[in-house]
Amino acid sequence: MSSTGNGRPSDLWANITVGLVTAPVAAGVAFMILYSIGVIGLLAGGFTLESWVQVLADVRTWVTLGFSIWVGGASLLTSLVLALGIHTILGAAPRRRALHGLWYAPLAVPPLVAALLSVEILGNAGVLARLGHALGWIGQPLDFPSPLYTRCGAGIVVTHVALVTPFLVLLFDRLARNERVEGLTEAARTLGASATQAWLRVRLPVLMRAATPALSVYFLALAGAFEVPLLVGAQYPPMISVAIQRRFSQFDIAMRPQAYALATLYAVLSAAILFLVFAARRRRERLERGA
Amino acid sequence: MMRRALSAALLGLGLLCLGVLALLSVTRRWPWPVLVPTELHADQWRELFASESGVGGVVLRSIGMASSVAILATAAGFVSSRGVARHPRREGLFLVLHLPFAVSPVVLGVSLSYFFLRLNLAGHIVGVVLAQFILAYAYAVILLSGFWNPQVQALSGLAVTLGADRTQVWLRVLLPVARPLLMLCLLQTFLISWFDYALTLFIGGGRVSTLTTALYQYFGSGDVRLAATCALLLLAPPLAAIALHQRLLSATVAARLEA
Amino acid sequence: MDLPAPDLHVQGLDVRLEKEHVLRGVTFAVEARATLAVIGVSGSGKTTLLRAIAGLIPIERGHILLGGRRVDELAPNRRNIVYLNQEPLLFPHLDLFENMAFGLRLRSVREDEIRERIDVLIGSLELHGLSGRYAHALSGGQRQRVAFGRALAVEPAMMLLDEPFSNLDPETRAGMQELFKRVSRERGISAIFVTHDLKESLRVGDRFAVLRDGGLRSFADRAEFCRDPSSGVAREASYWRMLTGSEGNESSGVGTQHVAGMAQAFANCDDDHGDK
């Protein structure tokens, strides 16, 4: 392969790379579509949209999707506000030191462990409940207002926020360096901006502008989360990944096409969101270059 | 002062979490409403690894799988990323590379399970490693594409004019310069596999046991002690790697700021 | 001829960064509508001096008076002193027009007045037709002019320029120096211009100072600055004279435009042009 410039071998290699990643995903989606429309499968009887009609007409589908978007959005927004606040308080890391090592430690916590900790700390018989009992605030485990297993998804949101906020703090720290946010803030201050004005008119828009692609991927990851809703979510409504897993695990093979239809629906929606975000960013960049 | 308070709060939360897991892993009973359990059995860890529970084997298997995924994905990703970084349509390629992360891991697992079954890879470690490799490879290419900037190109060109052949350029220039980023990539791709549950569940079909599936199993069956143990084992390597890597990260960031 | 009353007065300024005493007892004055060129090598404390005056770093001891009023205890946004970084930091989320209008919007100036003032500035800074462009679509020289215009728009009492043209190619740099001189004269701007380039200091400065080892030495006028051995001007002048004067000849190939320009700059040194 060429080691210099833009020779065709380089392009070919890049295409192969992307093919290695997209081929399995594309094949998987194609398989799910064909299965869901009855073209292939153990009980396939030829092309039919029956599974799709059942899934789309089922109110539970839309409740699940809406609930996933709600939990993903609430988790991301809460984490965003917290992370921006923390990043602002921590301020510019001194030139000779990056962000304190402590802030990297949460990267070591997987979603399953976070969910387990939520149960043991925030659960009805968790550490906080026991502390409340010791202080005389509650009598029985059920007296403790645990956010877990609630229909509004509070337990899922709290766990996600604990997981995602440190990531966002690190993200903002890195972006602030790349975008020279401290220098820009100083420029704004000497132009007459108060600390609040500099934050609102410079730091916030510059960081959000740079972080949008990463935030959109985070949103999709949160909306499509599996482990945390599995352990701390209510039975109903389930989040989309749990709903798909439940349908897929059912003994009734006849339900399999519906499982694939639901999975395809979510795959297409999430791919579309990703595409829209990237397209919007490209359009903005093109406008800025061409203006 | 607020900075110190924040760091103290984070440290406190971290210690609480570790403390809870540690206590759970060495106690047989934690009845309500006892705040701190008193029946502690430190020898439970020794029993655990010696027993039939097979936790020792699970740990080794998980380390082996995650290491394989990390090394393969980083090596392949480093080579591939150059082509992607230089491609005239690299923005579109990046979009496509993000797709495996956009669709839920459950969707990925569900969609791939049929193919892995047909290829006799379902229910095998190799199958799970391959499935995790898809995610890790995409991540590695995205991360390492940032390495191929004009400065690196200039360094390569300089080495060539000084007499280096292609192999020497890779071994004496590109790899050493890329080392911090490669270490970061190794860590991140290791964690992709180490933390994975959904792909292991769907492709492994319940026959490939890793720390994550073991944790879920123990939790589901009410054995919180073993679940907490698995949790601590899950945390240990990444915490150690991050402690080591954070120094690397700081050094890299500092070097770039002073340049 | 009476000199105008000093506009900026810095007295006994001490600044410490981390554990290092960067500036010690710095005292000087900048006259109204004049540019003080401050020369210093890397690490001499030039940036620290400007940032301390702008209020971006704390001072340990000393006073800063602007128009007779103490400003060292005021927040940076209340001093009416604008600081221009070495690199032109433009707000990436705003186009050229909005970058230049930034300070005016903070002051709630009327929209039509903003448009009028920015349009005039765009004209005088030769940025026609670029209003809608963003930072990454501008050249280095254009970005520097936008940063300059952004500062001029708020009509500051004092401008602090931290080696603003050091990243530009020689031709663009010379153009920017001329532009700065013209605009600062037209608008009666008071400024401190920090540079490590002697020729640049002679081009833009009305008054001169040298920063060395944390201390600052001012000179009464250009002639004194040129004559004083500590400024380095005499040494540079003789070097360039050697290159283009009696020792040099056409066939040596040394008589380039650049060299001739340098020699001319130093040859003019002894003439106090009295531009201001």
Side-chain angles (χ1 to χ4, degrees):
Chain A
M1 296 293 167
S2 163
S3 63
T4 60
N6 308 313
R8 283 180 59 195
S10 265
D11 289 359
L12 183 62
W13 197 218
N15 292 334
I16 290 172
T17 301
V18 169
L20 277 175
V21 171
T22 54
V25 177
V29 172
F31 169 78
M32 291 196 300
I33 291 173
L34 290 174
Y35 203 112
S36 64
I37 57 175
V39 172
I40 57 173
L42 285 167
L43 303 174
F47 177 82
T48 171
L49 292 174
E50 191 188 330
S51 303
W52 277 93
V53 169
Q54 278 169 348
V55 164
L56 292 173
D58 190 347
V59 72
R60 290 176 302 171
T61 300
W62 303 105
V63 168
T64 292
L65 280 173
F67 183 63
S68 304
I69 290 170
W70 148 251
V71 168
S75 305
L76 186 65
L77 199 59
T78 311
S79 306
L80 200 58
V81 169
L82 278 175
L84 278 170
I86 291 169
H87 166 75
T88 304
I89 291 169
L90 291 176
R95 292 200 137 232
R96 281 173 215 80
R97 267 188 299 124
L99 209 55
H100 195 287
L102 209 54
W103 290 95
Y104 289 89
L107 298 184
V109 183
L112 263 181
V113 173
L116 174 65
L117 284 166
S118 279
V119 171
E120 297 302 327
I121 294 173
L122 300 174
N124 286 103
V127 170
L128 287 185
R130 291 165 192 261
L131 189 62
H133 182 275
L135 292 169
W137 294 344
I138 62 167
Q140 297 301 317
L142 283 175
D143 295 337
F144 180 73
S146 170
L148 308 185
Y149 315 116
T150 53
R151 295 188 69 159
C152 65
I156 306 172
V157 172
V158 167
T159 310
H160 278 161
V161 168
L163 270 176
V164 172
T165 303
F167 272 100
L168 293 186
V169 171
L170 293 175
L171 174 71
F172 288 140
D173 185 62
R174 184 161 52 90
L175 288 176
R177 284 174 207 277
N178 290 352
E179 301 292 320
R180 312 281 304 274
V181 165
E182 297 310 322
L184 289 172
T185 303
E186 283 178 353
R189 294 284 272 143
T190 67
L191 285 166
S194 64
T196 308
Q197 284 173 319
W199 195 92
L200 282 172
R201 291 173 186 245
V202 178
R203 181 179 292 267
L204 183 65
V206 170
L207 282 178
M208 290 308 298
R209 190 173 177 273
T212 301
L215 291 176
S216 58
V217 175
Y218 273 123
F219 168 74
L220 290 172
L222 290 167
F226 181 50
E227 293 96 323
V228 171
L230 193 64
L231 262 66
V232 303
Q235 193 61 15
Y236 187 83
M239 283 184 67
I240 186 70
S241 292
V242 174
I244 292 170
Q245 185 256 342
R246 278 184 195 163
R247 291 201 194 206
F248 194 73
S249 312
Q250 283 177 350
F251 286 116
D252 186 358
I253 306 284
M255 298 299 287
R256 200 53 72 88
Q258 286 190 31
Y260 284 127
L262 188 61
T264 307
L265 178 65
Y266 184 69
V268 167
L269 277 173
S270 45
I273 291 173
L274 187 73
F275 176 76
L276 282 170
V277 170
F278 270 71
R281 188 177 71 150
R282 273 194 72 183
R283 204 168 129 262
R284 190 195 72 200
E285 284 174 357
R286 229 182 289 131
L287 277 170
E288 287 177 5
R289 270 196 199 101
Chain B
M1 197 173 96
M2 291 268 307
R3 274 186 222 181
R4 289 208 185 160
L6 258 178
S7 294
L10 183 64
L11 184 64
L13 186 62
L15 290 174
L16 171 69
C17 293
L18 283 175
V20 165
L21 289 176
L23 276 176
L24 282 169
S25 71
V26 295
T27 186
R28 290 219 171 96
R29 287 180 68 245
W30 195 351
W32 171 268
V34 173
L35 191 54
V36 179
T38 49
E39 295 177 40
L40 304 177
H41 301 269
D43 58 355
Q44 282 189 168
W45 276 76
R46 190 164 45 84
E47 283 172 24
L48 198 64
F49 280 87
S51 77
E52 307 268 316
S53 65
V55 170
V58 168
V59 171
L60 287 173
R61 191 176 307 121
S62 298
I63 290 176
M65 286 169 65
S67 303
S68 307
V69 170
I71 291 167
L72 283 170
T74 301
F78 188 50
V79 173
S80 309
S81 58
R82 188 162 77 156
V84 171
R86 293 175 178 190
H87 200 281
R89 291 200 168 172
R90 64 178 165 277
E91 288 296 322
L93 297 188
F94 281 131
L95 170 64
V96 165
L97 286 169
H98 277 89
L99 275 175
F101 300 95
V103 305
S104 141
V106 166
V107 170
L108 200 60
V110 158
S111 65
L112 292 177
S113 59
Y114 168 76
F115 297 100
F116 277 72
L117 263 167
R118 291 297 296 264
L119 293 167
N120 284 326
L121 291 171
H124 294 291
I125 291 176
V126 172
V128 176
V129 166
L130 266 177
Q132 292 171 346
F133 173 79
I134 295 170
L135 270 181
Y137 177 59
Y139 181 85
V141 173
I142 293 168
L143 179 69
L144 296 170
S145 295
F147 173 71
W148 304 101
N149 54 42
Q151 206 179 357
V152 162
Q153 221 171 332
L155 279 174
S156 302
L158 178 68
V160 167
T161 61
L162 289 168
D165 61 32
R166 195 182 300 176
T167 310
Q168 286 169 323
V169 168
W170 274 90
L171 289 177
R172 288 170 181 263
V173 179
L174 295 176
L175 279 173
V177 171
R179 195 169 150 264
L181 196 58
L182 288 173
M183 299 293 287
L184 175 68
C185 188
L186 276 171
L187 171 66
Q188 305 276 44
T189 47
F190 180 92
L191 292 180
I192 286 175
S193 169
W194 185 252
F195 289 167
D196 171 64
Y197 175 64
L199 287 177
T200 311
L201 182 71
F202 285 99
I203 307 299
R207 281 186 279 164
V208 176
S209 187
T210 59
L211 273 172
T212 49
T213 59
L215 191 161
Y216 182 74
Q217 252 178 311
Y218 293 133
F219 180 83
S221 64
D223 195 338
V224 183
R225 176 179 66 98
L226 281 175
T229 306
C230 288
L232 283 170
L233 290 169
L234 267 169
L235 291 176
L239 273 176
I242 282 167
L244 273 169
H245 177 264
Q246 205 273 322
R247 258 185 270 141
L248 236 157
L249 205 64
S250 312
T252 310
V253 169
R256 283 191 190 146
L257 283 175
E258 280 155 19
Chain C
M1 185 176 78
D2 287 336
L3 287 170
D7 206 1
L8 178 79
H9 219 124
V10 175
Q11 294 170 336
L13 197 68
D14 269 17
V15 178
R16 195 186 284 267
L17 283 184
E18 308 248 311
K19 295 204 171 91
E20 200 191 325
H21 222 139
V22 180
L23 297 174
R24 279 188 212 88
V26 169
T27 298
F28 66 95
V30 181
E31 296 148 16
R33 295 183 293 282
T35 296
L36 173 71
V38 177
I39 285 273
V41 299
S42 295
S44 55
K46 307 189 293 295
T47 298
T48 305
L49 174 67
L50 295 189
R51 288 169 64 82
I53 294 171
L56 297 172
I57 51 175
I59 62 175
E60 203 172 58
R61 207 172 291 122
H63 300 312
I64 303 169
L65 291 101
L66 186 64
R69 184 176 70 115
R70 263 191 78 175
V71 296
D72 47 278
E73 280 158 5
L74 296 178
N77 58 312
R78 303 179 83 122
R79 297 188 184 200
N80 204 14
I81 298 174
V82 175
Y83 172 66
L84 264 78
N85 211 305
Q86 195 166 354
E87 248 192 86
L89 286 177
L90 302 188
F91 303 121
H93 58 300
L94 302 174
D95 63 22
L96 185 150
F97 185 94
E98 287 302 326
N99 257 283
M100 289 176 69
F102 184 86
L104 295 177
R105 294 213 184 278
L106 289 172
R107 289 155 175 78
S108 306
V109 173
R110 277 192 349 263
E111 191 61 38
D112 55 340
E113 197 183 327
I114 290 177
R115 187 146 291 281
E116 195 186 316
R117 279 157 75 160
I118 301 302
D119 283 346
V120 166
L121 276 170
I122 285 176
S124 40
L125 293 169
E126 296 157 24
L127 292 166
H128 308 277
L130 301 174
S131 295
R133 288 228 187 142
Y134 285 74
H136 53 253
L138 299 170
S139 69
Q142 288 168 339
R143 281 203 290 268
Q144 198 54 270
R145 273 179 274 155
V146 174
F148 192 36
R150 186 176 62 188
L152 288 174
V154 299
E155 295 174 346
M158 175 68 53
M159 277 180 63
L160 308 175
L161 298 103
D162 192 350
E163 300 191 69
F165 312 139
S166 59
N167 291 337
L168 303 175
D169 62 271
E171 195 179 320
T172 310
R173 193 170 178 175
M176 285 300 298
Q177 288 162 359
E178 286 309 312
L179 184 69
F180 169 76
K181 274 183 69 174
R182 175 172 60 79
V183 173
S184 57
R185 198 172 308 148
E186 279 169 12
R187 289 176 170 251
I189 288 164
S190 309
I192 301 177
F193 192 111
V194 146
T195 179
H196 63 265
D197 184 332
L198 265 181
K199 185 183 164 215
E200 184 167 65
S201 72
L202 289 171
R203 268 214 170 125
V204 303
D206 303 302
R207 299 284 179 260
F208 304 89
V210 173
L211 197 57
R212 184 180 287 135
D213 300 328
L216 186 139
R217 173 145 178 234
S218 313
F219 299 90
D221 53 30
R222 178 185 292 257
E224 189 193 343
F225 176 64
C226 289
R227 279 193 301 270
D228 195 289
S230 67
S231 72
V233 174
R235 187 177 58 245
E236 287 274 339
S238 68
Y239 169 72
W240 292 108
R241 270 198 296 275
M242 181 199 75
L243 285 180
T244 59
S246 56
E247 289 91 358
N249 55 62
E250 291 305 316
S251 63
S252 74
V254 176
T256 62
Q257 198 174 9
H258 175 68
V259 169
M262 293 292 276
Q264 184 63 44
F266 290 106
N268 288 342
C269 191
D270 281 345
D271 304 334
D272 192 345
H273 291 294
D275 292 2
K276 297 255 168 174

